[in-house]
Amino acid sequence: MAPSSDPQAFREALASSKRVVILAGAGLSAASGIPTFRGTNGLWKTKDSKLFATPEEFNQDPSRIWQFYHCIRDRCLHAKPNAAHHALASLTLPSIRARLLPSLTDPTKPPLLITQNFDGLSPLALSPHLTPASQKLASSRLVETHGSILKTVCLQCKHTKHTRETPLCPAFAGLTEAEVEAGGRTIPVEELPRCGGTEWDGSNRYGRCGGLLRPAVVWFGEVPEGMGEIAMELNWTDLLIVVGTSSLVHPAASFAKTVKTRGGKVAVFNLQRSEGDENADFLFLGPCEETLPSVLGTTSES
Ligand code: BJW
Ligand code: ZN
């Protein structure tokens, strides 16, 4: 049967769902000015740039890869959540859950939001809606499964740090996307972001060891974050809402099939047709910054 595009039928399915999970991809942040990966205006316009997304490439040429990520990081730092982020964030509000999701097994828990985006916009969208205590609960129901570009990991001591500071090292000062596209700068590895920052005093202490940092994003061949929690949730999910992903990258691309196999429903929100959406129960084509608030009926809250 072809997927339904009836908002009322979707809201009825939502209202009768006991456990809801949301899976988001790059399309969620497109209206915030963060380019998607694939497609004509995607970050990966050429096949070659796919090579950025592996640990091997980073090990071979950390300077080139860091310069690429410095520019994306700057974009993310300046971006603001859009209406689609706010519509999803509004589901963390008890009053909205009581209205849209009255059948949840645990009404105190917001639906699990799994985002493949590393831009930090979904966490940012939570803040205007919630008290600090509710924000803590909502944050615990958010998995940035492909990591965060606002975090760094030290390759030596493994210390992880969340920071909005920019540039992360003096060598990136004034570096632009145009400069990087034209070949970038020659930056020796010692001048790239280091554990302990520019003030490093020669100590080898955890978080101040002088080791090379890398962006805390998940590259191909690495294990995505939160897989244990995600696997447990998907056992029981009766409605998966899939927003703005091409559904080409695993394991996230297989979540819809997992839910369907276990008898749950799937609703896809995407600008255009995406992998496997013919098997969805609901399909809402169009920009999710418009379709999500309108179909969920959260327009006034977002
Ligand atoms: C809009 C819109 C608007 C636009 N409104 N919509 C099984 C089969 C085959 C291969 C594999 C497999 N399992 C694992 C693999 C290998 C690999 C993989 O999937 N390869 C494929 C290419 C085939 N996967 C991995 O290596 C993963 N690790 C892994 O599997 O570990 C093993 C393991 C798993 C589980 C448990 C234990 C062990 C890691 C994957 C890491 C992905 N990392 C990246 C790069 C991050 C850093 C970087 O380089 O910059 O993450 S890849 C890239 O793609 C990024 C994204 O998060 C990810 C998904 O992309 P997304 O979000 O779908 O974006 P797009 O651009 O593809 O699509 C945008 C969509 O939005 C489009 O559909 C538009 O239409 C839509 N859109 N505007 C609504 N306004
Ligand atoms: Zn370190």
Side-chain angles (χ1 to χ4, degrees):
M1 207 168 68
S4 159
S5 295
D6 178 356
Q8 184 55 33
F10 171 73
R11 282 193 290 268
E12 282 166 15
L14 200 58
S16 63
S17 296
K18 294 186 171 75
R19 300 188 194 235
V20 177
V21 170
I22 302 151
L23 169 67
L28 175 66
S29 297
S32 297
I34 313 288
T36 59
F37 291 88
R38 297 159 188 87
T40 28
N41 292 319
L43 270 177
W44 296 345
K45 277 170 254 159
T46 64
K47 234 183 169 186
D48 270 3
S49 26
K50 269 192 190 158
L51 295 174
F52 282 118
T54 67
E56 291 75 25
E57 279 299 305
F58 182 78
N59 292 339
Q60 253 172 41
D61 193 351
S63 175
R64 180 174 67 95
I65 308 296
W66 247 126
Q67 291 183 57
F68 173 76
Y69 281 107
H70 163 78
C71 295
I72 305 175
R73 188 173 177 276
D74 256 5
R75 262 195 198 238
C76 297
L77 281 169
H78 291 108
K80 290 195 170 55
N82 64 59
H85 293 104
H86 288 303
L88 295 180
S90 74
L91 299 177
T92 61
L93 291 170
S95 57
I96 304 287
R97 283 205 299 285
R99 177 159 65 81
L100 296 179
L101 300 159
S103 307
L104 288 182
T105 302
D106 183 350
T108 64
K109 260 192 187 173
L112 185 72
L113 170 56
I114 307 164
T115 180
Q116 297 170 83
N117 303 341
F118 52 59
D119 53 33
L121 291 178
S122 287
L124 206 58
L126 296 177
S127 44
H129 295 274
L130 301 166
T131 60
S134 312
Q135 199 170 328
K136 203 170 162 207
L137 174 67
S139 303
S140 72
R141 300 290 293 158
L142 173 60
V143 177
E144 294 174 290
T145 193
H146 290 167
S148 168
I149 203 160
L150 305 181
K151 290 183 187 159
T152 54
V153 187
C154 171
L155 292 178
Q156 204 161 269
C157 75
K158 310 296 173 207
H159 178 257
T160 303
K161 182 177 173 183
H162 181 281
T163 174
R164 296 187 68 89
E165 175 194 338
T166 189
L168 285 173
C169 61
F172 294 164
L175 185 65
T176 61
E177 286 182 20
E179 198 179 347
V180 171
E181 265 171 37
R185 298 178 180 173
T186 305
I187 303 176
V189 73
E190 307 77 55
E191 292 177 26
L192 293 174
R194 314 292 306 195
C195 186
T198 48
E199 315 289 290
W200 183 59
D201 58 3
S203 90
N204 63 356
R205 293 174 63 180
Y206 178 62
R208 270 177 288 165
C209 79
L212 177 63
L213 301 180
R214 61 162 275 186
V217 298
V218 177
W219 287 320
F220 285 120
E222 297 182 318
V223 179
E225 294 181 17
M227 286 312 300
E229 184 182 6
I230 292 170
M232 258 174 9
E233 285 273 343
L234 294 181
N235 273 330
W236 305 105
T237 303
D238 50 8
L239 178 62
L240 177 72
I241 303 174
V242 182
V243 183
T245 174
S246 57
S247 291
L248 294 171
V249 176
H250 292 268
S254 63
F255 295 168
K257 198 172 172 199
T258 303
V259 168
K260 288 291 293 177
T261 308
R262 292 172 189 170
K265 290 191 167 73
V266 172
V268 173
F269 289 76
N270 199 306
L271 197 55
Q272 60 197 22
R273 299 302 300 257
S274 54
E275 189 73 15
D277 68 3
E278 65 281 4
N279 301 317
D281 300 274
F282 299 97
L283 177 59
F284 298 101
L285 292 176
C288 61
E289 60 278 13
E290 292 172 15
T291 54
L292 259 183
S294 130
V295 172
L296 285 172
T298 55
T299 317
S300 56
E301 285 99 14
S302 56

